[in-house]
Amino acid sequence: MLFHDVLIIGGGLAGLRAAIAAAEKKVDVAIVSKLYPPRSHSGQAQGGINAALANNPKAHDDTPEKHGFDTVKGSDYLADQETSIYLTEQAPEAVFEIEHWGCPFSRTEEGKIAQRPFGGAGYPRTCYGTDKTGHYILQTLFEQTIKHNIKVYNEWEVIGLAKDVDTCCGVIALNMHSGELEAMGANAVVFATGGSGRMYGNTTNAIPSTAFGVAMPYWAGIPLKDVEFIQFHPTSLYPSNILMTEGCRGEGGILVNKEGDRFMKKYVPKAMELGPRDIVARSVQTEILEGRGFDDAYVYLDLRHLGKAKIMERLPGIREITMDFNGIDPIEEPIPIQPGTHYYMGGIDVNIDGASPLKGFYAAGECACVSVHGANRLGGNSLLETVVFGKRAGASAGEYAKDKPKQPKTNALERALKREEENFNQMLKSNGNENPYTINAELRKLMPEKAGLFRDEKLMTEGLEQIRVLKERYKKIRPVVSGSSFNFDKIWVLEIKGNLDVAEALMAGGLARKESRGSHFRTDFPKRDDVNFLKHTLATYTPEGPKLSYSEVQITKYQPVERKY
Ligand SMILES: Cc1cc2nc3c(=O)[nH]c(=O)nc-3n(C[C@H](O)[C@H](O)[C@H](O)COP(=O)(O)OP(=O)(O)OC[C@H]3O[C@@H](n4cnc5c(N)ncnc54)[C@H](O)[C@@H]3O)c2cc1C
């Protein structure tokens, strides 16, 4: 039976950084990833990573403390403050580390790391490598895993956890090459499975970013935190919803409606296009809903005034995308955009060390909710979170695993393997006729309608009922395609189950939160309500549906006040 001291599930930025930190604890580490790590979604990150380096002339007095305050304010005061302050204090060191490992950041004229303005930030503090920052950092970290000789199980999909009473003792994975299920023992497991955006139809997230990574620990009894908070990015390309980075507005791009009006002056006159994402996304949607969009579907992101040289130097990837997908050269024409579902602020409930309530089980990156984004993430803070908390979770897991016996808990692993085999066999023998992909398509259509930018009791009640009907229909699906090597039907049908259960938790959490905070905007409760709802939602899985409870938000330095931009 396979065994490693620490198993890292996911080869994106959080997983790679966790693996390096665990390896530095001199334990045997392996990464298990359904994608070859450099293909992970982190590589699509465009705009940059935040750190108060004060390199931009307009940011000479920027500090990590100011970054910490912006993060807490941006979160609409739902982020845990000790954790957020740790994130921003660690940021300069984290970025210098990547730089010293060879990441080709763009440079100022003096040769320092270049920084651009991003939304909701008081200073230009987003460090970037043109508009391909995620790609550069991902390659850089991957090189380091090679240097540390970290074993990677490429194209293995983890499908369940193995528990020995109250401790995680490994995972069950599908080796996609052979089609075999394997039990993989470990003393510590770190989940770094990325985002869940594919629960929604109008998303900037790629096909692998389903809620399955979050669903597995949920099914194993670990609560999900702040489930109702999902971020809508203001500028995704119409109609494909491919991201148009906030860097476009950071470099001076403007938003214009069909009347030629630069409408952000009505909503946040001071910050304009660089208001926080929740506010800018709702403003764009309001323009569209009130008839000032084009074809009732989009407004313009106009970059033309930036000029050819700046667009070619700072936003070459954006130009390539708009030319390839819409036949539009942003040097000559404005870009049609609309809000798109972008980032899941909710996730696996973990503490500052990445540790979950289940012993031996850790999580980092977008699948985790360590609570630094609260109700609204600031652009540029997620790449930062992957490296800061990836490192901390990997180090904690390495430390925890170090002195444990180096052998698999065979009985518990065999039980888990049997459970997953039976599940697959049941799927192969299923005698229903429901098409699972139709169910998923219906889910992805209803999510933006019922739990989108504007929510209310009626919409979410309908949404919850519809999800429950879809869950019933899922029990009657047609048999899964048989066949072993690279049988994607097996995997995707399982992932759809994850989407359904996490979407149900999101909808239930949103219904129960009768206030508006950050990305969760309720037209029937349009104000923030700190008296009743300054608290984290926790959703615990039960076969009948999520059970909700609440935990305290850590308020240390900054008392919640009304956000003004
Ligand atoms: C288009 C786009 C642009 C963005 N730009 C920025 C930006 O400029 N700045 C910023 O701060 N943030 C940005 N974000 C957000 C940020 O990129 C992500 O939140 C972050 O990269 C997530 O990293 P991760 O390591 O958690 O997950 P990922 O990079 O998604 O990695 C997940 C890994 O888990 C593996 N995996 C998943 N499920 C399984 C399984 N069951 N078994 C085995 N392996 C599994 C995958 O193979 C993958 O290797 C952007 C997001 C998008 C969608």
Side-chain angles (χ1 to χ4, degrees):
M1 191 176 279
L2 294 164
F3 179 82
H4 297 275
D5 289 319
V6 179
L7 277 178
I8 312 279
I9 316 307
L13 285 178
L16 297 181
R17 191 62 194 84
I20 297 163
E24 282 167 353
K25 296 283 173 189
K26 308 282 177 237
V27 293
D28 169 28
V29 184
I31 296 170
V32 186
S33 185
K34 68 178 180 181
L35 303 174
Y36 181 62
R39 297 185 60 117
S40 301
H41 204 35
S42 291
Q44 298 302 311
Q46 301 169 347
I49 176 167
N50 293 342
L53 305 183
N55 288 349
N56 186 303
K58 290 188 186 142
H60 63 276
D61 57 343
D62 194 12
T63 60
E65 192 184 3
K66 289 175 180 164
H67 182 188
F69 173 68
D70 286 342
T71 300
V72 171
K73 178 182 169 191
S75 81
D76 224 348
Y77 292 89
L78 193 70
D80 283 345
Q81 296 189 8
E82 187 200 332
T83 321
S84 306
I85 290 166
Y86 177 80
L87 173 82
T88 56
E89 275 171 354
Q90 294 296 310
E93 190 188 313
V95 168
F96 291 141
E97 179 178 70
I98 304 165
E99 180 199 33
H100 295 168
W101 284 342
C103 181
F105 282 111
S106 295
R107 298 281 158 179
T108 65
E109 281 181 6
E110 305 92 23
K112 294 178 178 169
I113 295 173
Q115 296 187 276
R116 58 168 47 128
F118 249 43
Y123 292 89
R125 65 166 75 96
T126 305
C127 310
Y128 61 92
T130 69
D131 54 2
K132 297 178 178 152
T133 317
H135 173 73
Y136 294 154
I137 303 177
L138 192 62
Q139 302 298 322
T140 305
L141 293 196
F142 188 54
E143 280 174 13
Q144 292 300 311
T145 61
I146 294 169
K147 178 177 160 194
H148 282 87
N149 274 322
I150 294 170
K151 160 120 186 119
V152 185
Y153 293 89
N154 283 308
E155 297 171 323
W156 283 46
E157 169 117 6
V158 170
I159 60 162
L161 305 192
K163 280 199 293 186
D164 184 25
V165 195
D166 60 348
T167 306
C168 180
C169 62
V171 297
I172 306 303
L174 177 71
N175 173 346
M176 287 157 65
H177 302 257
S178 67
E180 295 295 320
L181 284 182
E182 305 265 1
M184 309 180 86
N187 285 325
V189 170
V190 184
F191 258 44
T193 52
S196 300
R198 297 296 289 193
M199 285 183 282
Y200 280 69
N202 62 344
T203 181
T204 61
N205 288 198
I207 287 169
S209 300
T210 68
F212 185 52
V214 168
M216 284 181 273
Y218 179 49
W219 291 328
I222 300 170
L224 302 183
K225 189 157 69 196
D226 293 341
V227 273
E228 60 271 40
F229 294 101
I230 190 150
Q231 177 165 74
F232 306 96
H233 195 289
T235 59
S236 73
L237 186 63
Y238 174 79
S240 58
N241 293 117
I242 298 173
L243 186 74
M244 298 284 101
T245 171
E246 196 158 286
C248 294
R249 284 169 286 136
E251 295 296 348
I254 58 171
L255 294 170
V256 184
N257 65 18
K258 92 171 167 197
E259 291 162 5
D261 186 25
R262 193 173 164 195
F263 56 83
M264 281 312 300
K265 63 178 179 289
K266 281 191 301 205
Y267 300 96
V268 270
K270 203 159 142 231
M272 297 285 280
E273 283 83 0
L274 290 177
R277 283 186 181 168
D278 53 343
I279 296 177
V280 183
R282 277 196 296 276
S283 308
V284 172
Q285 192 67 13
T286 303
E287 293 296 303
I288 296 169
L289 291 174
E290 292 182 357
R292 291 182 296 279
F294 300 88
D295 300 336
D296 291 332
Y298 60 89
V299 297
Y300 279 148
L301 168 64
D302 199 345
L303 305 182
R304 288 174 295 180
H305 54 286
L306 304 183
K308 183 174 178 180
K310 195 167 182 181
I311 292 174
M312 301 292 272
E313 183 205 326
R314 309 267 175 95
L315 302 165
I318 289 298
R319 181 166 182 256
E320 262 170 47
I321 293 169
T322 56
M323 288 177 77
D324 287 350
F325 284 84
N326 288 43
I328 283 175
D329 183 347
I331 297 169
E332 314 277 345
E333 286 174 84
I335 306 170
I337 58 92
Q338 61 177 196
T341 311
H342 184 59
Y343 182 90
Y344 196 29
M345 269 91 64
I348 305 161
D349 178 27
V350 293
N351 66 16
I352 196 166
D353 290 322
S356 78
L358 177 66
K359 266 192 275 171
F361 186 87
Y362 297 76
E366 192 170 337
C367 69
C369 182
V370 65
S371 189
V372 287
H373 309 307
N376 173 60
R377 171 178 80 91
L378 293 188
N381 266 0
S382 171
L383 291 186
L384 180 61
E385 178 197 13
T386 62
V387 287
V388 169
F389 289 105
K391 177 177 177 183
R392 187 146 173 175
S396 307
E399 196 60 42
Y400 171 86
K402 209 162 63 178
D403 301 322
K404 304 257 176 317
K406 294 182 186 302
Q407 59 201 33
K409 293 194 168 158
T410 320
N411 290 344
L413 285 155
E414 275 170 0
R415 271 198 310 275
L417 182 61
K418 191 158 173 268
R419 178 193 72 210
E420 298 303 337
E421 275 167 355
E422 280 170 7
N423 189 20
F424 263 153
N425 285 338
Q426 215 177 325
M427 280 167 51
L428 285 165
K429 284 193 228 128
S430 172
N431 60 2
N433 56 9
E434 288 282 357
N435 181 339
Y437 301 103
T438 307
I439 294 173
N440 200 39
E442 287 181 29
L443 175 74
R444 298 186 66 221
K445 179 166 181 297
L446 80 82
M447 290 306 284
E449 290 168 4
K450 309 293 184 188
L453 279 145
F454 296 102
R455 306 168 169 189
D456 66 23
E457 183 92 14
K458 181 170 172 293
L459 284 173
M460 285 186 294
T461 307
E462 286 166 3
L464 195 55
E465 277 165 16
Q466 288 172 9
I467 294 171
R468 289 185 171 154
V469 171
L470 293 177
K471 283 180 62 171
E472 284 306 308
R473 283 172 53 194
Y474 182 90
K475 290 180 186 160
K476 298 176 211 134
I477 52 172
R478 51 100 174 126
V480 166
V481 171
S482 61
S484 45
S485 188
F486 286 94
N487 180 349
F488 281 103
D489 194 43
K490 263 188 184 175
I491 293 166
W492 287 338
V493 169
L494 260 188
E495 293 201 351
I496 290 168
K497 188 168 190 299
N499 280 347
L500 286 167
D501 280 340
V502 178
E504 183 188 26
L506 186 156
M507 203 66 83
L511 252 178
R513 185 174 282 276
K514 296 181 193 304
E515 65 152 358
S516 289
R517 186 183 295 272
S519 69
H520 173 70
F521 190 87
R522 289 204 40 169
T523 50
D524 48 353
F525 295 98
K527 293 243 168 338
R528 197 175 84 195
D529 175 358
D530 287 341
V531 175
N532 295 302
F533 289 103
L534 184 55
K535 55 188 183 182
H536 295 297
T537 305
L538 293 174
T540 306
Y541 176 78
T542 77
E544 295 74 44
K547 188 166 144 286
L548 299 182
S549 56
Y550 294 90
S551 68
E552 254 179 56
V553 177
Q554 199 186 70
I555 310 275
T556 54
K557 203 166 174 184
Y558 306 111
Q559 284 309 310
V561 289
E562 193 190 336
R563 288 191 307 165
K564 290 209 173 88
Y565 288 96

